[in-house]
Amino acid sequence: MPRAPLLALAAALAAAPGARAGEAATECLADFRFQGAPAQRIRCVDGDPACDADPTPGVCRFDVSVCFNTTDPKLRCTARELEHYDVENVEPDTDGRHDFEFGALQTAVDTLGFPIAANETELCAGPVAMLLPLAVRVQRSGADYGSFKKTLRADTFGPGDPLDRDALPMKCLPAKGADPCDGIDSTFAEIERHVFTGCTRDTCHNAPGGGHTLTLLPGEAYADLIGAMPDSTIAAAAGKLRVAPGEPDRSFLLYKLRGELLAGEGARMPRDLPKLSAKKVRLVEAWIEAGAPATGFVADVGCRP
């Protein structure tokens, strides 16, 4: 069977309707939906139009809804009064582990208006785009993709008690032969795509704010880094710059990525998220050693011409 039909079949099976074992009594109270069908899990190869709504290489997009008091006859349960619905998330949204897409689904659900009466059926919120960026592993020569997964979890509550708990595992896998170096024309462009991407969240470095003046968006990051004074007065007093071309020891960016900070110099970056791999940090260090050029390939790791 050709590849495309096989992938489409896998996506359909992953989102097949029906209650899971032991959950038939409550499964109709709330269910996740993907492509119009109740979904138990989503597993998709990046770029497959049968399941990925985002054509951008390196990112899967799944449009997910949640529906309440559904009337599917295969789900042997009765609609009930529902008091509230909680999507599991980390708060506040300034915490690096907060998922903004989960928050968007919670907002969409809240606009339905709770409580929901037992005679109110097929009430749906969404769809909300769930973006799953593939992991990128910087190598000694080049880079490669790794899969990325996350799980959407939520609880449905009735009068006084939780009635149902649901989980939707989602996984994005790299396409065969996909190369994260495609389209990258310089070492700094690779740093923007493979290092800074996780730093441009809504509450981080997508714009000045939250006690900092640094923007790391493409097209803005270079001017904000090169020869610029850090926001930390302690780091500035020590003679550090955000990036001091040719001087890694004076480049505060490296100290932030490594977590080698003095009292008062703030937190390691990316804040509250896993530490960057040694090769990603080395990519930044090698670029600074070479004078932090805006163009050209200079690093001893990562993408090549």
Side-chain angles (χ1 to χ4, degrees):
M1 184 181 292
R3 176 177 174 274
L6 277 173
L7 291 173
L9 176 61
L13 289 174
R20 289 170 289 218
E23 295 184 353
T26 60
E27 191 63 22
C28 71
L29 302 182
D31 63 59
F32 295 120
R33 295 196 181 179
F34 173 61
Q35 297 180 331
Q40 296 180 7
R41 68 186 178 101
I42 304 172
R43 188 175 186 272
C44 181
V45 173
D46 179 34
D48 178 8
C51 50
D52 180 8
D54 186 346
T56 306
V59 179
C60 288
R61 176 182 137 190
F62 308 139
D63 293 334
V64 174
S65 304
V66 60
C67 296
F68 300 96
N69 281 340
T70 61
T71 56
D72 186 342
K74 295 179 182 179
L75 303 178
R76 301 180 301 278
C77 78
T78 303
R80 306 186 195 181
E81 179 183 348
L82 306 177
E83 287 197 337
H84 60 101
Y85 183 80
D86 291 340
V87 178
E88 185 176 297
N89 208 346
V90 175
E91 300 294 347
D93 63 8
T94 52
D95 191 304
R97 296 165 295 174
H98 179 87
D99 191 299
F100 285 90
E101 290 135 28
F102 293 177
L105 182 61
Q106 182 71 66
T107 299
V109 168
D110 291 344
T111 61
L112 289 177
F114 279 78
I116 292 173
N119 62 356
E120 295 181 277
T121 60
E122 293 295 337
L123 294 179
C124 298
V128 170
M130 300 289 163
L131 300 177
L132 281 74
L134 291 173
V136 175
R137 297 181 291 247
V138 172
Q139 304 294 338
R140 175 60 60 185
S141 178
D144 63 11
Y145 281 126
S147 62
F148 182 84
K149 62 183 178 180
K150 64 181 181 180
T151 300
L152 176 60
R153 294 184 174 88
D155 294 300
T156 306
F157 292 82
D161 295 303
L163 297 176
D164 189 23
R165 180 168 176 78
D166 292 295
L168 180 64
M170 299 176 284
K171 188 171 187 178
C172 180
L173 300 107
K176 184 177 181 180
D179 186 350
C181 289
D182 285 347
I184 288 179
D185 59 6
S186 69
T187 296
F188 184 67
E190 181 181 7
I191 291 171
E192 286 188 307
R193 187 185 298 182
H194 296 165
V195 179
F196 293 163
T197 300
C199 304
T200 54
R201 297 155 49 88
D202 286 352
T203 55
C204 298
H205 294 286
N206 68 332
H212 69 80
T213 60
L214 175 61
T215 302
L216 291 177
L217 291 174
E220 300 178 32
Y222 193 83
D224 262 15
L225 287 171
I226 304 302
M229 295 289 289
D231 291 311
S232 166
T233 55
I234 293 176
K240 297 173 185 174
L241 301 174
R242 285 175 177 164
V243 168
E247 301 180 81
D249 289 345
R250 291 186 60 220
S251 296
F252 193 47
L253 175 62
L254 282 173
Y255 290 92
K256 295 291 276 187
L257 296 179
R258 291 171 176 154
E260 299 171 351
L261 300 162
L262 302 175
E265 287 188 335
R268 176 184 62 79
M269 294 296 163
R271 187 178 60 195
D272 297 323
L273 293 175
K275 193 173 184 178
L276 291 180
S277 70
K279 284 189 172 64
K280 284 188 177 181
V281 176
R282 175 56 195 159
L283 178 69
V284 177
E285 181 182 38
W287 169 70
I288 294 173
E289 287 174 345
T295 61
F297 290 90
V298 298
D300 56 3
V301 295
C303 300
R304 297 287 191 275

